[in-house]
Each structure stands twice: as structure tokens, then as C-alpha cells.
């Protein structure tokens, strides 16, 4: 979510800004409370930018996204060999934010054991890496944010009272958008201008009726929902004037919806008294359907919105007839099972919103091919290759695509995966960038600088090559492991000196002109793309893999022959202008090819290099992880 400066005009917003202006110059820990989508991170960035720490990093970590097994390592770091897969020393979020500000978003999601350790860090201002007994001093201002009622969590013994008081030195409560309607015109103007520029569209404006509709709508998703609504309107509008019909908000008004827990109780009580049919199944169905729709079919995101597990969500989806009972793809049916009517199978694909898989998902042609075979296709979006391979190794998905490096880390971690196919090299599709006005002119100037990179990714490999080329070691720079991101906010430029990027974000950054390329992958990395499957899935679902590969080959041929049309379709999915996407698509051939000896040797060369650097915990044989058709 991107917002303008919080210099808004509604009295409720002005009151919040006044509090922020008083808190910003101090080092006080601040707790920001507000519903989902109200702009808590934006307010945290405002506090940082107006503090004495503004020249130092601002980092944000979503506590709800930290896995239980890795959360301590992510927050506090770990030493080499601290656990299986810890191939080198890792700097945690607290160390990476040293001197600056760390936002702990969704703080209420932290487990109780981690709450104890966080309390000690806040009290002592020092962390201890996993696998170490040495305390490391940290100078970090902590801002916490939550959309939950922590007082209730304390009563239910899900949140420590002593940690609450340590965090709540000062608190800011952000009113929901429905309570500050006078801000809507300013916010709407900002989002219209932003997406018109990014999508290369003429500047749009709202009709009076459309603006009235925006003000009357209750905005349960707050500013994030407003942004998505206007983004969609810009995408679909062919005229400069956007009408209320193009907003697709329906006829719901603020008076139709409960505003708080008391209103919700009264609303439900009225429905119970007046309803002629059972209310419970209707409420469950409405909640599930709306969550799935808001998440665009992503079950993990829908489950998160509802506050339930994915398995529980799937149970509800099954009861509603939205999916059929699941049968594992990795097991053969017994004779008794074979005599029963065959249940629907699932093909679970992990993807990033680009390339052949992203395009195949957008066209939904694979679903049409598999419907007669009783196979449903489930898509799960991931930000980068390491996350995809983690999901593949944990059997959360069956198939994915990624670059050269993540599969090697997966193999070294003994994940049961196989290479299925590859796409030709695209070395220009990965690069190191700096701000346009940055004094950094060459790779050697990176010494002592902070570089944002996705750990275990292709750009991670490129960075190693660049450092080696300039005679620098990893310890000569400050590596900040962060997910891929563009466009950048002002605080990103304060926190980071250089960024490792890949397409399509790289092409979009080049087109915008705010960043410049110091070096790309040409002559340094090949940046092949590989298709991978779970070993068990590949062994027992060869028919599905063959169908999938055929669909990908057709998709690749279409993209290479019709790049403008492919870019236009992906533009709708990504919110990136077609010019940037056309440029990104043109830098790579999308012709999917089966694995061969040359590709195996190329991957083995990279694996040997990583092992020699100590980044892999043991030597691997790539040949042992190739799908035997």
C-alpha cells in the first residue's frame, strides 16, 4: 500500500498527525493500533523520517509471516552451523536495523516463547544470535503495530502483559477510513495519479457521483481496499472520467455495516430474530466466499484474512462445494479405492507473477485442459525463488519455476525435488542498481555499503560474482536480506545504498529512471530459468507433468511471437505498464526445453562454486536430481 504524506485534512487524521509529530523526535517505543489497511506502516515510516534516525535504516518485519521454526533466527540472527542449513552467519532484523528503526508489524502474532526473548531485547538493548552465547549490543528504535485487541489477547493468555507495557510506552490509534471520510478525496487523487502514471494511462478523475459513492462506502478493507478499487478502475477505464459504476462497489453504504464489535453484536442479534433461515451457515458461507474473492483465489491469503488455518478453510470450501475432496497425487489407490468413484486430484503450482507460469495462470488455459481429467489447479503466489523452493520442499506445492541458484540450496538441504525443464539464459534480466544521484559509480565503490538482496536467489549469485570481480569479500559490504521490491519509498533510499533486482521490476525501474544500473549479469551469470517438481509428485503424476510441460511450451511460443499482447495481459495482473513488461519479455526467450547434459554441467559448476565458498553445507550432484521421463 502506497500513501501520500499523512498531511491529511480530516480532523481525526489531523489529531493523529499531531501525536506523531510529538513522538517522532523521541526514541520512545511506539505501539500503533489500527484495523487492517489503515496505513500503520506508513505512519511508522513517518515517525522514522521525522526522527534523528532518518539517515539510518527503516526495516519492517511482518511477525505473522515468520515461521515458528525460523522466527528467532530471522529476528536475532544465527551463527554458522547453528542448525541444519545454517551455512553461514546470518544477520537478523535487529542487527540489520542498527542505528535506525525496526517496525514489528502484527506483533500480536508472535509466539509466547518469542515474546519472552523480545522482552529481554527491549530491556537490555542486546541480542544473542542462535548458536551463540555472546550478546551483541543493538541501537534500534522499535515500533510495534497490531490490528488485534492486545488487552483481549492478554486476558486469553496469548500475549504477555509485561511485553505489552514495554511496547506501549506511547500509543497511536489510527481511525478506520469510514471515520475520516474527508481524507478520501486526497487519497483517491493520489492513487489515481500513481496508477495512471505506472500504467501509462491518461490522468483520470472521478465524477461527482463516483466521489459520493466513495464517501458513502464503509471501506471494511480501509485504505488498502480504496487503493485496490482505484487501481482496478484505472485498469478498466477507457475514458479519463471514472464513474461510480466502474468502481464496482455495489450499493453498500456505511449505514448497512456494523462499525465496531457492539454494532456487530446488534446486527447479528437482529438477523437472528428476523431471519427465516438458519443464520450460522449463511454467515460462514459469506465470510469464506468474500475472503476467497478478496484474495483472488489464494487459499493461504484467504485463510489469513479469516484467522484460520488453510486446512480449516479447505474444509469450509469442501462443504460449500467450491472444491472437491482431496486425493493425494503421490499415492497409488488401493484395489478397494480403485472400485470407488474417482475423486478430483489437485495440481498445486507455485508461481511468481511473471514469465510462462504467470502468463499461463492469467490465461487460465491449463484449467480448461485438465478439467476433463478431474484435476483442479491451485495457484500459490510467492515473492521469490527461495520461498518457492521452501514450499516445494515442505510439500505445500507440486511444481514451480525459479532461477539457477535456489534449487542448489534446496538440494543441499536434502529437499526431494527434481529438475524438469529449463529456459534459455537472460543475463540482462538481473542487475545491481543505485539511486540516480548516488556517488557509487563502479563495483569497487560498494565497499562498506548496504546492499538489498534476496538470500539464495539468482541475484545473490550475481552479487558474489560482482564482489569477486572487484576484489571484495562478503564482509566488505553490508548485505541486507530483503524481498524484491519496486517502486521504492523514501525510507528505502535511507536504509539501502544499492539493490539487486530482476525482471520485471528491473525493467520497470530502468524505465522510470529513478535508479541506474551499475552492472548486470552479462558475462557474469547466465540466469537460466528452471522448472522443478517434487520428487514424489514427478514419480506418480507423470501424466500431469507431461500436460503441464506441453502447456508451457505452447505458452512460451505465444509469448515470443506476441510480446505486446502478452505484456498487455500481464499488465492487468501486475499493475506494471506494458512498455516495461514488453521490454522484460524481450530480454528472454521463453522456449521451454527438457533437461540435457549441458544444463546439468552448468548447474554443477555453480553448485561447486557455492560449496567452495562454504554457502552449501555439503557437495551435491545435480545429475541425481533430474527427472527421468
Amino acid at each position: 500500500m502506497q500513501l501520500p504524506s499523512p498531511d491529511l485534512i480530516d480532523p481525526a487524521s489531523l489529531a493523529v498527525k499531531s501525536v506523531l509529530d510529538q513522538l517522532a523526535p523521541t526514541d520512545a517505543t511506539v505501539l500503533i493500533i489500527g484495523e487492517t489497511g489503515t496505513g500503520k506502516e506508513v505512519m511508522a515510516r513517518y515517525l522514522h523520517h521525522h526522527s534523528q534516525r532518518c539517515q539510518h535504516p527503516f526495516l519492517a518485519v511482518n511477525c505473522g509471516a515468520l515461521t515458528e521454526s525460523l522466527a528467532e533466527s530471522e529476528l536475532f540472527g544465527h551463527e554458522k552451523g547453528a542448525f541444519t542449513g545454517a551455512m553461514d552467519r546470518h544477520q537478523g532484523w535487529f542487527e540489520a536495523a542498527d542505528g535506525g528503526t525496526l517496525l514489528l508489524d502484527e506483533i500480536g502474532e508472535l509466539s509466547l516463547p518469542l515474546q519472552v526473548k523480545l522482552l529481554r531485547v527491549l530491556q537490555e538493548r542486546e541480542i544473542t544470535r542462535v548458536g551463540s552465547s555472546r550478546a551483541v549490543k543493538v541501537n534500534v528504535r522499535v515500533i510495534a503495530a497490531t490490528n488485534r485487541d492486545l488487552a483481549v489477547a492478554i486476558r486469553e493468555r496469548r500475549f504477555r502483559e509485561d511485553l505489552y507495557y514495554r511496547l506501549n510506552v506511547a500509543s497511536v490509534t489510527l481511525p478506520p477510513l469510514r471515520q475520516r471520510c474527508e481524507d478520501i478525496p486526497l487519497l483517491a487523487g493520489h492513487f489515481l495519479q500513481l496508477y495512471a502514471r505506472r500504467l501509462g494511462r491518461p490522468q483520470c478523475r472521478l465524477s461527482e457521483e463516483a466521489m459520493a459513492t466513495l464517501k458513502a462506502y464503509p471501506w471494511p478493507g480501509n485504505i488498502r481496499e480504496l487503493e485496490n478499487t482505484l487501481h482496478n478502475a484505472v485498469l478498466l477505464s477507457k475514458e479519463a472520467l471514472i464513474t461510480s459504476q466502474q468502481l464496482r462497489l455495489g450499493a453498500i453504504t456505511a449505514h448497512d455495516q456494523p462499525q465496531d464489535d457492539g454494532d456487530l453484536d446488534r446486527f447479528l442479534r437482529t438477523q437472528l430474530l428476523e431471519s427465516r433461515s438458519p443464520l450460522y451457515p449463511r454467515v460462514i458461507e459469506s465470510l469464506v466466499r468474500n475472503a476467497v474473492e478478496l484474495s483472488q483465489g489464494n487459499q493461504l491469503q484467504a485463510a489469513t484474512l479469516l484467522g484460520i488455518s488453510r486446512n480449516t478453510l479447505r474444509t469450509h470450501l469442501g462443504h460449500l462445494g467450491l472444491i472437491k475432496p482431496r486425493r493425494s497425487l503421490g499415492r497409488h489407490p488401493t484395489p478397494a479405492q480403485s472400485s470407488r468413484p474417482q475423486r478430483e486430484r489437485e495440481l498445486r503450482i507455485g508461481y511468481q507473477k511473471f514469465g510462462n507460469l504467470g502468463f499461463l495462470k492469467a490465461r487460465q488455459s491449463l484449467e480448461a485442459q485438465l478439467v476433463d481429467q478431474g484435476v483442479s489447479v491451485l495457484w500459490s503466489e510467492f515473492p521469490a525463488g527461495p520461498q518457492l523452493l521452501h514450499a516445494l520442499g515442505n510439500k505445500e506445492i507440486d511444481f514451480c519455476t525459479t532461477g539457477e541458484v535456489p534449487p542448489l540450496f534446496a538440494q543441499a538441504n536434502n529437499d526431494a525435488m527434481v529438475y524438469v525443464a529449463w529456459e534459455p539464459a537472460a543475463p540482462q534480466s538481473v542487475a545491481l542498481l543505485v539511486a540516480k544521484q548516488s556517488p557509487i559509480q563502479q563495483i569497487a565503490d560498494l565497499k562498506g555499503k548496504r546492499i538489498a538482496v534476496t538470500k539464495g536467489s539468482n541475484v545473490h549469485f550475481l552479487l558474489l560474482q560482482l564482489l569477486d570481480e572487484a576484489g571484495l569479500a562478503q564482509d566488505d559490504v553490508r548485505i541486507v536480506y530483503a524481498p524484491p521490491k519496486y517502486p521504492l519509498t523514501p525510507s528505502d533510499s535511507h536504509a539501502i545504498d544499492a539493490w539487486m533486482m530482476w525482471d520485471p521490476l528491473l525493467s520497470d525501474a530502468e524505465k522510470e529512471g529513478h535508479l541506474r544500473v551499475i552492472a548486470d549479469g552479462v558475462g557474469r551469470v547466465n540466469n537460466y530459468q528452471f522448472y522443478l517438481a517434487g520428487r514424489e509428485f514427478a514419480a506418480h503424476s507423470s501424466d500431469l507433468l507431461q500436460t503441464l510441460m506441453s502447456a508451457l511450451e505452447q505458452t512460451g511460443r505465444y509469448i515470443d511471437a506476441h510480446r505486446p499482447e502478452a505484456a498487455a495481459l500481464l499488465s492487468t495482473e501486475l499493475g506494471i505498464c506494458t512498455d516495461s513488461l514488453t521490454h522484460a519479455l524481450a530480454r528472454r526467450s521463453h522456449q521451454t526445453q527438457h533437461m540435457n547434459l549441458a544444463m546439468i554441467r552448468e548447474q554443477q559448476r555453480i553448485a561447486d562454486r557455492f560449496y567452495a565458498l562454504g554457502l552449501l553445507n555439503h557437495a551435491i550432484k545435480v545429475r541425481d536430481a533430474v527427472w527421468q521421463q
Side-chain angles (χ1 to χ4, degrees):
M1 179 172 58
Q2 302 179 45
L3 298 184
S5 168
D7 297 330
L8 304 177
I9 59 175
D10 191 279
S13 297
L14 292 173
V16 170
K17 182 179 181 298
S18 175
V19 174
L20 293 175
D21 287 338
Q22 294 178 54
L23 295 175
T26 74
D27 259 354
T29 302
V30 179
L31 178 63
I32 302 177
I33 304 165
E35 294 179 8
T36 298
T38 49
K40 295 186 289 295
E41 181 174 342
V42 175
M43 298 304 146
R45 290 180 184 274
Y46 184 88
L47 286 169
H48 175 75
H49 286 319
H50 292 78
S51 73
Q52 299 297 316
R53 298 174 177 265
C54 61
Q55 299 301 319
H56 296 280
F58 173 90
L59 298 178
V61 55
N62 187 334
C63 298
L66 296 175
T67 60
E68 183 66 31
S69 58
L70 296 177
E72 184 177 357
S73 168
E74 288 296 309
L75 286 174
F76 311 129
H78 65 250
E79 296 290 343
K80 181 178 179 179
F83 49 84
T84 301
M87 292 167 285
D88 56 4
R89 175 183 287 178
H90 170 68
Q91 188 181 62
W93 287 98
F94 273 88
E95 284 186 272
D98 193 43
T101 304
L102 178 63
L103 170 64
L104 298 176
D105 200 6
E106 305 302 342
I107 188 71
E109 302 299 326
L110 273 185
S111 66
L112 286 170
L114 267 177
Q115 290 178 33
V116 174
K117 292 174 180 174
L118 176 60
L119 178 62
R120 184 182 180 282
V121 170
L122 294 176
Q123 289 172 336
E124 306 297 332
R125 296 293 169 178
E126 61 184 27
I127 57 97
T128 303
R129 301 189 193 105
V130 177
S132 173
S133 58
R134 184 174 68 87
V136 178
K137 288 290 183 182
V138 288
N139 173 23
V140 176
R141 182 186 191 179
V142 172
I143 299 176
T146 182
N147 63 0
R148 294 180 178 250
D149 188 336
L150 293 184
V152 173
I154 291 170
R155 289 198 298 271
E156 296 175 353
R157 299 193 175 183
R158 291 183 290 106
F159 200 83
R160 293 181 61 93
E161 188 172 10
D162 48 3
L163 176 59
Y164 172 75
Y165 289 121
R166 174 66 63 174
L167 292 170
N168 194 25
V169 175
S171 66
V172 178
T173 300
L174 296 184
L177 187 56
R178 61 181 173 270
Q179 293 179 11
R180 42 184 173 128
C181 294
E182 295 308 313
D183 287 338
I184 290 176
L186 179 60
L187 291 167
H190 167 73
F191 292 133
L192 288 176
Q193 182 180 31
L194 172 70
Y195 287 109
R197 177 179 58 81
R198 291 199 64 197
L199 295 170
R201 304 288 174 84
Q203 184 58 53
C204 299
R205 58 188 178 85
L206 294 163
S207 68
E208 291 185 7
E209 182 186 11
M211 183 60 74
T213 300
L214 292 181
K215 287 189 171 183
Y217 187 72
W219 300 111
N222 291 293
I223 300 173
R224 184 176 292 115
E225 185 183 4
L226 173 65
E227 178 181 3
N228 292 339
T229 297
L230 294 171
H231 182 184
N232 184 66
V234 173
L235 277 172
L236 300 179
S237 177
K238 296 180 180 179
E239 306 293 336
L241 185 67
I242 294 177
T243 65
S244 59
Q245 289 76 19
Q246 291 169 303
L247 297 175
R248 299 188 172 188
L249 289 176
I252 302 173
T253 67
H255 303 293
D256 300 320
Q257 297 294 315
Q259 307 296 305
D260 53 35
D261 288 345
D263 287 345
L264 179 61
D265 288 342
R266 287 188 288 274
F267 174 78
L268 290 174
R269 189 175 293 113
T270 301
Q271 292 297 311
L272 284 168
L273 292 172
E274 297 179 357
S275 177
R276 296 183 180 180
S277 59
L279 181 62
Y280 181 78
R282 288 167 46 211
V283 171
I284 295 297
E285 179 175 356
S286 178
L287 285 170
V288 170
R289 287 187 184 277
N290 277 285
V292 171
E293 182 179 338
L294 288 170
S295 304
Q296 297 181 323
N298 187 307
Q299 293 183 9
L300 289 173
Q301 293 180 14
T304 301
L305 280 176
L306 293 168
I308 59 178
S309 70
R310 183 171 180 265
N311 287 335
T312 301
L313 173 67
R314 289 184 55 78
T315 300
H316 289 308
L317 293 173
H319 289 160
L320 296 173
L322 299 179
I323 62 171
K324 294 183 179 179
R326 177 174 178 173
R327 181 174 73 84
S328 172
L329 290 169
R331 298 186 179 88
H332 291 298
T334 64
Q337 290 171 329
S338 299
S339 63
R340 302 172 190 163
Q342 184 150 346
R343 294 178 175 179
E344 183 175 89
R345 295 190 294 171
E346 287 181 357
L347 171 58
R348 301 168 301 167
I349 303 176
Y351 78 108
Q352 299 175 65
K353 285 187 176 180
F354 189 62
N356 289 21
L357 272 181
F359 189 77
L360 189 61
K361 196 259 184 185
R363 295 182 83 185
Q364 298 187 319
S365 55
L366 183 63
E367 288 83 345
Q369 287 181 253
L370 293 175
V371 66
D372 292 336
Q373 299 181 39
V375 177
S376 63
V377 182
L378 300 179
W379 298 88
S380 295
E381 182 191 341
F382 294 86
Q387 288 83 3
L388 280 161
L389 268 296
H390 179 77
L392 190 69
N394 285 279
K395 298 183 179 181
E396 296 170 4
I397 57 175
D398 304 308
F399 184 85
C400 67
T401 181
T402 184
E404 300 160 320
V405 174
L408 303 178
F409 281 87
Q411 290 175 81
N413 199 35
N414 297 317
D415 290 347
M417 48 136 282
V418 291
Y419 291 87
V420 177
W422 62 282
E423 288 175 10
Q428 288 181 309
S429 293
V430 286
L432 180 141
L433 302 94
V434 297
K436 188 175 182 179
Q437 306 302 325
S438 171
I440 298 173
Q441 298 296 328
Q442 55 188 346
I443 301 170
D445 296 336
L446 293 172
K447 188 170 184 178
K449 303 301 183 183
R450 295 161 296 188
I451 306 171
V453 62
T454 302
K455 187 175 184 180
S457 65
N458 274 22
V459 291
H460 191 182
F461 182 39
L462 173 59
L463 177 59
L464 295 179
Q465 299 286 77
L466 292 174
L467 294 175
D468 188 55
E469 183 179 313
L472 298 175
Q474 291 184 72
D475 291 341
D476 291 326
V477 298
R478 296 178 61 185
I479 296 178
V480 178
Y481 293 116
K485 181 181 182 183
Y486 187 80
L488 304 172
T489 62
S491 64
D492 293 320
S493 299
H494 288 306
I496 303 296
D497 299 299
W499 294 266
M500 304 299 301
M501 285 189 188
W502 64 85
D503 274 333
L505 299 184
L506 172 59
S507 286
D508 202 34
E510 289 180 283
K511 180 180 181 298
E512 291 289 331
H514 301 306
L515 301 176
R516 54 184 170 86
V517 173
I518 291 294
D520 61 22
V522 175
R524 300 178 176 98
V525 297
N526 287 316
N527 194 31
Y528 293 107
Q529 195 77 1
F530 288 95
Y531 291 100
L532 305 125
R535 188 180 291 274
E536 186 179 358
F537 169 79
H540 298 297
S541 301
S542 179
D543 59 330
L544 290 185
L545 266 185
Q546 296 287 6
T547 301
L548 182 53
M549 293 314 302
S550 175
L552 286 168
E553 289 167 6
Q554 294 174 23
T555 296
R557 288 193 292 270
Y558 180 89
I559 292 174
D560 285 348
H562 304 88
R563 287 198 182 106
E565 293 89 339
L569 179 60
L570 286 172
S571 177
T572 302
E573 290 279 308
L574 296 171
I576 295 177
C577 73
T578 53
D579 288 346
S580 296
L581 289 168
T582 301
H583 185 234
L585 291 173
R587 295 208 274 206
R588 172 186 291 280
S589 167
H590 294 78
Q591 299 300 309
T592 305
Q593 304 175 45
H594 292 283
M595 292 297 295
N596 57 37
L597 187 58
M599 280 301 99
I600 295 172
R601 286 174 175 167
E602 185 62 31
Q603 278 292 90
Q604 188 65 55
R605 182 185 67 82
I606 301 172
D608 293 343
R609 172 81 191 283
F610 270 85
Y611 178 58
L613 290 171
L615 294 175
L616 299 183
N617 55 9
H618 62 83
I620 60 174
K621 291 184 179 180
V622 174
R623 186 191 295 268
D624 295 340
V626 176
W627 181 41
Q628 303 299 321
Q629 302 178 52

